[in-house]
């Protein structure tokens, strides 16, 4: 079974044109009593419908700009801390799933060498750290006049566990 936690990253416009990026977000949950061992985890980002990723682009001899491939599908990294002291995951990459070549989050699933024992009432803190430079598009090339520029997304975290 998979246990799901979500961290919503809000839209952050600095002055209407430039985004702020590079923040840290966290969420703490208490695992249900039925969770006894964590076998693996997986995380990915689901972009808001108005959030676009930056692409490589080139200009041809007629000054037409063409979009090529995406620069990076990674938005940041995830760390997981158990009971405020035990780090069980450090800096695992968070990718925009729809911008990966295979559009699958299975490639980002991480199996632990040995299942992690959990006691009843264990708290888990999920920490999302964004990269220093934004992989989210800010130029007008990726937006129509009717579409607002956004940098909003949701990080989804799955824990595979045993009862």
């Amino acid at each position: 079974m998979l246990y799901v936690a979500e961290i919503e990253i809000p839209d952050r416009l600095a002055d209407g044109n430039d985004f702020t990026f590079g923040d840290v977000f966290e969420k703490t949950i208490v695992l249900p009593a039925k969770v006894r061992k964590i076998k693996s985890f997986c995380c990915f980002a689901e972009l808001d419908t108005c959030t676009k990723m930056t692409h490589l682009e080139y200009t041809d001899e007629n000054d037409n700009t063409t979009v090529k491939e995406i620069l990076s599908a990674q938005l940041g990294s995830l760390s997981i801390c158990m009971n405020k002291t035990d780090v069980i995951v450090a800096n695992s990459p968070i990718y925009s799933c729809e911008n990966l070549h295979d559009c699958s989050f299975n490639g980002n699933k991480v199996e632990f060498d040995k299942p992690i024992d959990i006691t009843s009432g264990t708290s888990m803190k999920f920490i999302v750290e964004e990269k220093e430079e934004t992989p989210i598009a800010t130029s007008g090339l990726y937006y129509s006049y009717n579409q607002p520029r956004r940098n909003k997304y949701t990080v989804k975290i799955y824990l595979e566990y045993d009862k």
Side-chain angles (χ1 to χ4, degrees):
M1 298 183 92
L2 295 173
Y3 180 80
V4 180
E6 291 184 356
I7 300 175
E8 290 193 27
I9 311 299
D11 190 33
R12 294 152 291 143
L13 290 174
D15 62 11
N17 281 331
D18 295 326
F19 296 127
T20 57
F21 200 80
D23 294 331
V24 176
F25 300 90
E26 62 182 57
K27 181 174 189 173
T28 302
I29 64 167
V30 176
L31 293 175
K34 66 181 179 179
V35 177
R36 295 293 178 208
K37 293 180 184 288
I38 297 176
K39 298 177 1 178
S40 66
F41 83 96
C42 179
C43 67
F44 64 92
E46 188 174 273
L47 300 180
D48 181 72
T49 55
C50 293
T51 301
K52 309 284 187 229
M53 301 296 282
T54 301
H55 290 74
L56 292 171
E57 54 188 68
Y58 67 91
T59 305
D60 63 15
E61 63 272 357
N62 296 327
D63 285 335
N64 294 326
T65 304
T66 304
V67 174
K68 288 177 85 177
E69 61 190 52
I70 192 166
L71 274 178
S72 173
Q74 184 178 354
L75 291 159
S77 63
L78 174 76
S79 298
I80 303 175
C81 187
M82 190 170 64
N83 290 329
K84 298 182 182 178
T85 56
D86 300 326
V87 177
I88 61 171
V89 175
N91 299 318
S92 180
I94 300 170
Y95 295 108
S96 166
C97 189
E98 58 261 32
N99 290 296
L100 292 175
H101 292 294
D102 61 359
C103 293
S104 170
F105 62 88
N106 284 336
N108 205 30
K109 182 178 176 183
V110 177
E111 300 269 343
F112 294 116
D113 294 334
K114 177 181 163 192
I116 297 170
D117 292 326
I118 303 295
T119 58
S120 183
T122 294
S123 67
M124 301 216 88
K125 180 184 267 189
F126 303 106
I127 302 165
V128 173
E129 297 178 78
E130 292 178 324
K131 293 170 34 172
E132 289 180 25
E133 293 186 31
T134 180
I136 296 174
T138 59
S139 72
L141 177 65
Y142 306 105
Y143 294 93
S144 68
Y145 290 110
N146 299 329
Q147 194 176 39
R149 296 176 184 175
R150 300 252 187 245
N151 60 356
K152 178 180 177 179
Y153 59 96
T154 302
V155 175
K156 297 194 174 196
I157 304 150
Y158 296 85
L159 299 175
E160 184 179 9
Y161 65 90
D162 280 338
K163 296 179 181 182

